[in-house]
Amino acid sequence: MNNHLNVEIPADSEVILGILNNSDVVLKKLYLAYFPMILQLVINNNGNEDDAKDVYQEAIIVLYNKVKRGDFELSSKLKTYIYSICRRLWLKRLKQMNRYGGDIKDFEDYLPVEDEVEKHQDRDLQLNKMGEALKLLGEPCKTIMEDFYMHNKSMQDICERFGYTNADNAKTQKYKCLQRLKKLFFQQQ
């Protein structure tokens, strides 16, 4: 499906900053990164490669204009956002051409949009809440949680870093820290 096996997919923030800074390099990366997904969508729904290129171009223009206006808020992954725009544009075009014979829902397993956007928003909210709870946790708990869950450090590594007598003591401390973190997390609005 993807002819560009070595395509570098830019980070969402890199794309936004690239658009704001008029970076041709970022736009080229963006074009290459997600086009195969849109090509698949359009071909599977009564279109061809030229149709896919047109729809993708329109979606990138929509994104570009929104970012440049300054009113763009990304509430999901950029990939989901672009897919959603392309899907709507393609359905609109099919309706205009009366070529819409299939069910685009058959393709939604590839990247379901509406549910995904909502899930991303909920997940982002939860992650933000967790980040805030982690900030309130204090030391050494904050570092223990980060070392274990984010940096995949072993209990033995944590034991040595904090000077616990053995890994079991470090594990007990991690458990206590986790309980405090949960309490802080659920106390937030």
Side-chain angles (χ1 to χ4, degrees), residues 46-171:
N46 301 322
N48 59 38
E49 188 171 349
D50 287 337
D51 293 328
K53 286 177 181 175
D54 290 345
V55 166
Y56 195 56
Q57 174 76 25
E58 285 180 58
I60 299 303
I61 290 169
V62 168
L63 171 67
Y64 182 88
N65 288 336
K66 279 189 171 270
V67 170
K68 283 295 199 176
R69 268 198 319 262
D71 64 351
F72 180 71
E73 267 188 57
L74 190 62
S75 58
S76 65
K77 287 187 176 182
L78 189 59
K79 179 179 181 177
T80 306
Y81 180 78
I82 290 171
Y83 179 90
S84 178
I85 293 172
C86 289
R87 181 177 169 271
R88 286 190 180 99
L89 288 171
W90 182 239
L91 284 175
K92 187 176 174 183
R93 188 170 295 178
L94 283 176
K95 192 174 182 180
Q96 289 169 344
M97 296 185 297
N98 289 326
R99 283 185 8 200
Y100 185 51
D103 187 0
I104 201 158
K105 288 188 168 120
D106 294 341
F107 189 68
E108 283 186 345
D109 287 341
Y110 181 74
L111 185 64
V113 175
E114 270 59 358
D115 291 342
E116 283 296 312
V117 170
E118 212 169 285
K119 285 178 190 172
H120 283 297
Q121 288 172 337
D122 289 345
R123 186 158 187 254
D124 287 347
L125 182 66
Q126 296 298 319
L127 287 172
N128 288 339
K129 275 180 67 176
M130 183 57 72
E132 291 302 312
L134 200 56
K135 285 179 191 172
L136 296 171
L137 191 57
E139 295 297 342
C141 285
K142 180 178 181 276
T143 304
I144 291 172
M145 293 288 103
E146 288 173 344
D147 282 355
F148 187 77
Y149 291 105
M150 294 176 197
H151 305 297
N152 297 319
K153 300 254 173 137
S154 70
M155 290 315 299
Q156 187 59 44
D157 290 340
I158 293 170
C159 170
E160 291 167 9
R161 179 174 181 178
F162 289 95
Y164 294 111
T165 53
N166 59 45
D168 287 335
N169 287 348
K171 192 174 183 178

Side-chain angles (χ1 to χ4, degrees), residues 12 39 41 58 88 139 176:
D12 293 357
L39 178 62
L41 166 70
E58 285 180 58
R88 286 190 180 99
E139 295 297 342
K176 289 177 183 176

Side-chain angles (χ1 to χ4, degrees), residues 4 6-10 14 29-30 32-33:
H4 311 285
N6 295 328
V7 171
E8 179 188 340
I9 297 178
E14 181 185 351
K29 283 183 189 177
L30 180 61
L32 294 174

